[in-house]
């Protein structure tokens, strides 16, 4: 899940300029069915998107639901969605929103301020760790409500049905908080009904039609959607295809309209004279890593964590297994972040240095740990298999623990691991990204490593109150460099996202937040689409 401020966004725009011009030269065709692909698992974890941390579930979110802010995949920045205007107090703590008066839920209920307030309160339900709590907790009084100390969230104030005032604990850019998938708005009183769990109701361009677990989820055009002259297509089939080989076969047989490419397919498609004509490439803000649980004794020592970073030849893995479909990670924040330090260098491959650090830390003969990972060729068991012999050379024994993607998204926030391998969002907002290493951020929210460093906390807190963006980013740059030294993870790579698309599909956006996640209402198919669709 973002690239907007630096050279990578420019790169993405250049790569996709031809596509955008081609699409804009034609009037979008109405009707038809789009067969999209959800490639990050063998199922959807839940249809309750307020409760889901999984990118796989966001494919459903984008069709059915809406948030106060949306991510604009063309401009690569957040924009108001469920409000038409916003004003800000001088201290940058209170935001007053004029809400849309033309937004209707799929049960024909008009959205009001009550729906937003009730949605945010549900996310902060006492005793439940809903995923969106990480973002809603920035609102004044949200934590007190979650702790059962208050009956309402003090920072949420309804002025009238279509005017909402939100006050935050600290000066923030609420767009980055309230555009998150897990902050979607539900109709008041509906979310906890049994029927909602299997038949979600949202404000999006498409309404729920059918879910066939393990196969597809189908949505149909919502005629009361507020978007001007959108959506274009009548129906979207979101096809669940976690296996790269299955996507490849379906795409080549013209059964699906897009396919997210892994490293091996990237090479094959680039070398194919026809398939290479319709490929999008975008530098995303996802950092691939192995995260360390500091409850596990060896990982409590910074020297051990550093040793792992020195012991792995990351460049070799990116070249041989990643087929160069990635950028080497330096620290947490990606290359395109405004807080990235361009002078910073990644850990060099130095197994002798790793051995020396392990000896200093009291592990001259190494140690053994368990690594939880999924079947993913870019950041899963394939990579784990490559690092096992590298770590073995310095005395560290790794035992791989394979799990499904849905299981990984459960065990990591619960802390049920010694280490894990994943691809995690590290943008677009560096403040939000760095929050995951703030000691006051819970493990269930995103501090999976239980990272606790006073110097980091001071930099993060200073950045929260920095008077200018330049000063904020300078402080976050220092915090990011400190993270690299502390090494709470093995810094592997930043993703280069690649998507193949059929020639009849138009309207794709250079979404650097997550290329595979598209605003379906902007997509359309021309008359070249296979018959029957």
């Amino acid at each position: 899940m973002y690239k907007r401020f630096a050279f990578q966004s420019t790169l993405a725009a250049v790569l996709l300029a031809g596509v955008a011009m081609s699409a804009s030269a034609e009037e979008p065709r109405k009707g038809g069915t789009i067969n999209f692909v959800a490639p990050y698992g063998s199922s959807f974890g839940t249809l309750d998107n307020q409760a889901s941390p999984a990118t796989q579930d966001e494919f459903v979110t984008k069709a059915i639901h809406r948030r106060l802010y949306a991510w604009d995949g063309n401009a690569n920045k957040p924009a108001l969605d469920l409000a038409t205007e916003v004003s800000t107090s001088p201290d940058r703590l209170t935001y007053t929103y004029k809400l849309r008066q033309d937004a209707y839920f799929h049960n024909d209920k008009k959205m009001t301020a009550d729906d937003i307030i009730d949605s945010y309160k549900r996310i902060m339900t006492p005793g439940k760790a809903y995923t969106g709590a990480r973002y809603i907790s920035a609102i004044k009084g949200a934590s007190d409500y979650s702790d059962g100390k208050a009956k309402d969230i003090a920072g949420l104030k309804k002025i009238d049905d279509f005017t909402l005032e939100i006050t935050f604990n600290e000066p923030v850019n609420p767009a980055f908080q309230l555009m998150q998938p897990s902050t979607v708005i539900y109709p008041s009183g509906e979310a906890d009904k049994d029927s909602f769990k299997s038949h979600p109701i949202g404000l999006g361009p498409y309404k729920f039609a059918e879910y066939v677990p393990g196969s597809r989820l189908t949505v149909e055009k919502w005629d009361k959607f507020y978007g001007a002259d959108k959506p274009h297509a009548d129906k979207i089939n979101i096809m669940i295809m976690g296996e790269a080989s299955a996507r490849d076969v379906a795409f080549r047989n013209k059964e699906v309209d897009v396919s997210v490419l892994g490293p091996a397919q990237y090479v094959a498609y680039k070398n194919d004279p026809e398939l290479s004509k319709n490929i999008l490439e975008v530098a995303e803000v996802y950092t691939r890593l192995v995260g360390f649980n500091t409850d596990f004794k060896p990982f409590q020592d910074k020297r051990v964590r550093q040793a792992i970073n020195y012991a792995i030849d990351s460049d070799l893995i990116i070249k041989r297994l990643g087929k160069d479909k990635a950028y080497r990670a330096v620290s947490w924040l990606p290359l395109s972040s405004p807080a990235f330090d361009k002078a910073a260098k990644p850990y060099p491959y130095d197994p002798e240095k790793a051995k020396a650090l392990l000896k200093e830390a009291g592990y001259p003969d190494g140690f053994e740990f368990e690594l939880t990972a999924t079947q993913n060729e870019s950041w899963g068991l394939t990579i784990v298999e490559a690092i096992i012999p590298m770590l073995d050379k310095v005395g560290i024994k790794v035992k791989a623990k394979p799990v499904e993607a849905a299981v990984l998204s459960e065990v990591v926030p619960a802390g049920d691991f010694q280490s894990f391998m994943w691809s995690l969002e590290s943008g677009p907002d560096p403040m939000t990204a760095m929050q995951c290493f703030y000691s006051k951020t819970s493990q269930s929210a995103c501090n999976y490593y239980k990272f606790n460093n006073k110097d980091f906390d001071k930099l993060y807190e200073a950045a929260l109150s920095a008077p200018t963006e330049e000063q904020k980013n300078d402080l976050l740059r220092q915090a990011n460099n400190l993270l690299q030294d502390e090494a709470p993870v093995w810094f592997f790579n930043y993703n280069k996202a690649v998507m193949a698309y059929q020639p009849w599909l138009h309207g794709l956006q250079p979404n650097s937040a997550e290329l595979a996640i598209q605003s379906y209402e902007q997509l359309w198919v021309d008359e070249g689409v296979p018959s029957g669709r």
Side-chain angles (χ1 to χ4, degrees):
M1 145 351 151
Y2 297 0
K3 262 33 164 232
R4 31 329 258 137
F5 302 102
F7 73 93
Q8 297 293 0
S9 58
T10 303
L11 172 62
V14 171
L15 288 168
L16 295 172
V19 177
M21 288 188 291
S22 174
S24 62
E26 301 178 63
E27 188 70 22
R29 174 176 173 263
K30 293 295 183 181
T33 298
I34 294 173
N35 289 340
F36 211 79
V37 167
Y40 300 134
S42 58
S43 66
F44 294 120
T46 176
L47 297 185
D48 181 355
N49 294 127
Q50 289 181 354
S52 174
T55 303
Q56 178 80 344
D57 296 336
E58 192 177 346
F59 290 90
V60 179
T61 306
K62 289 291 284 187
I64 297 176
H65 298 295
R66 279 298 182 265
R67 296 150 279 181
L68 187 56
Y69 289 85
W71 178 255
D72 186 333
N74 285 310
N76 277 310
K77 64 181 183 180
L80 283 173
D81 192 357
L82 294 179
T84 56
E85 60 181 271
V86 59
S87 58
T88 311
S89 63
D91 60 5
R92 296 186 296 138
L93 291 176
T94 300
Y95 291 75
T96 303
Y97 296 90
K98 292 295 183 182
L99 303 178
R100 285 185 170 277
Q101 299 189 38
D102 58 352
Y104 288 85
F105 289 101
H106 301 153
N107 61 358
D108 285 319
K109 177 187 182 297
K110 181 180 282 194
M111 183 204 73
T112 69
D114 290 321
D115 298 300
I116 297 178
I117 291 172
D118 289 347
S119 289
Y120 291 169
K121 287 175 69 175
R122 179 179 187 265
I123 291 168
M124 297 303 299
T125 298
K128 292 188 177 181
Y130 282 116
T131 303
R134 169 188 170 190
Y135 309 106
I136 304 305
S137 63
I139 298 174
K140 182 180 179 181
S143 295
D144 285 343
Y145 178 79
S146 182
D147 292 341
K149 298 177 181 178
K151 293 183 178 180
D152 293 294
I153 297 177
L156 296 175
K157 182 179 180 181
K158 174 184 174 181
I159 306 302
D160 58 45
D161 279 352
F162 301 103
T163 309
L164 175 66
E165 183 180 279
I166 304 180
T167 301
F168 293 86
N169 295 313
E170 305 282 352
V172 297
N173 182 345
F176 289 109
Q177 305 289 330
L178 303 180
M179 60 166 254
Q180 299 298 330
S182 51
T183 65
V184 293
I185 305 305
Y186 292 162
S188 296
E190 295 291 332
D192 293 314
K193 293 180 179 178
D194 289 340
S195 58
F196 193 89
K197 295 179 177 61
S198 58
H199 196 294
I201 299 169
L203 292 158
Y206 291 92
K207 60 182 179 179
F208 177 88
E210 182 184 22
Y211 178 35
V212 181
S215 177
R216 63 173 170 80
L217 185 142
T218 299
V219 293
E220 296 175 344
K221 181 179 181 178
W222 174 234
D223 290 329
K224 291 186 178 180
F225 181 62
Y226 54 81
D229 200 34
K230 293 182 179 69
H232 302 302
D234 290 334
K235 183 188 294 185
I236 308 286
N237 290 316
I238 306 173
M239 317 297 289
I240 301 171
M241 291 189 174
E243 292 293 330
S245 58
R247 295 195 301 272
D248 182 45
V249 170
F251 187 82
R252 290 175 183 270
N253 289 339
K254 302 181 180 180
E255 296 167 0
V256 296
D257 297 327
V258 298
S259 182
V260 175
L261 305 185
Q265 291 177 336
Y266 177 55
V267 174
Y269 278 52
K270 289 281 282 187
N271 291 331
D272 186 293
E274 290 302 316
L275 296 176
S276 62
K277 294 177 181 178
N278 298 312
I279 292 180
L280 310 183
E281 297 183 16
V282 173
E284 287 183 338
V285 287
Y286 278 81
T287 300
R288 276 78 177 273
L289 62 123
V290 168
F292 308 125
N293 189 340
T294 52
D295 279 345
F296 181 60
K297 186 177 179 180
F299 295 149
Q300 292 173 357
D301 194 311
K302 176 176 75 172
R303 292 168 296 186
V304 171
R305 305 191 300 263
Q306 290 176 329
I308 292 174
N309 275 275
Y310 281 115
I312 300 173
D313 191 343
S314 301
D315 290 324
L316 180 64
I317 295 174
I318 291 171
K319 183 175 182 61
R320 296 284 178 84
L321 294 180
K323 309 298 182 185
D324 287 326
K325 199 186 83 67
Y327 306 92
R328 175 74 189 278
V330 177
S331 184
W332 184 248
L333 296 177
L335 300 170
S336 57
S337 173
F340 179 80
D341 186 348
K342 294 180 180 179
K345 302 295 182 183
Y347 278 90
Y349 175 54
D350 190 342
E352 294 306 313
K353 175 72 171 177
K355 291 178 182 178
L357 285 168
L358 288 172
K359 185 176 181 180
E360 287 179 23
Y363 298 95
D365 300 319
F367 62 96
E368 182 177 326
F369 71 93
E370 185 178 78
L371 205 171
T372 304
T374 65
Q375 291 284 358
N376 185 292
E377 63 178 327
S378 298
W379 45 265
L381 290 168
T382 302
I383 307 302
V384 173
E385 290 170 359
I387 69 175
I388 286 175
M390 295 180 182
L391 292 176
D392 185 62
K393 287 183 179 179
V394 300
I396 300 175
K397 307 294 183 182
V398 179
K399 181 181 178 181
K401 182 180 179 180
V403 297
E404 291 291 325
V407 175
L408 185 69
S409 67
E410 292 176 357
V411 300
V412 172
D416 187 17
F417 65 90
Q418 290 182 354
S419 68
F420 67 89
M421 186 158 201
W422 214 352
S423 175
L424 295 175
E425 188 178 272
S426 50
D429 177 28
M431 199 82 240
T432 301
M434 298 299 270
Q435 182 186 9
C436 293
F437 298 92
Y438 185 45
S439 66
K440 294 182 181 179
T441 301
S442 68
Q443 187 171 40
S444 61
C446 69
N447 189 353
Y448 305 138
Y449 335 89
K450 293 189 174 180
F451 186 71
N452 188 341
N453 182 281
K454 291 181 180 179
D455 291 332
F456 179 91
D457 285 355
K458 288 178 182 178
L459 289 167
Y460 177 82
E461 289 168 356
L464 278 173
S465 57
T468 68
E469 284 292 305
E470 183 178 359
Q471 289 172 298
K472 180 190 77 173
N473 289 331
D474 182 62
L475 289 162
L476 292 176
R477 190 174 298 112
Q478 295 176 54
N480 193 47
N481 288 340
L482 184 152
L483 269 186
Q484 185 190 22
D485 181 63
E486 288 291 324
V489 307
W490 166 51
F491 301 104
F492 181 30
N493 68 47
Y494 310 124
N495 184 39
K496 179 196 291 185
V498 183
M499 177 187 284
Y501 64 96
Q502 301 289 7
W504 55 77
L505 181 66
H506 304 267
L508 290 168
Q509 307 107 53
N511 182 12
S512 58
E514 170 62 65
L515 181 60
I517 304 293
Q518 293 284 314
S519 294
Y520 300 113
E521 69 271 19
Q522 299 185 37
L523 304 181
W524 58 280
V525 291
D526 64 32
E527 294 178 353
V529 68
S531 60
R533 284 208 270 142

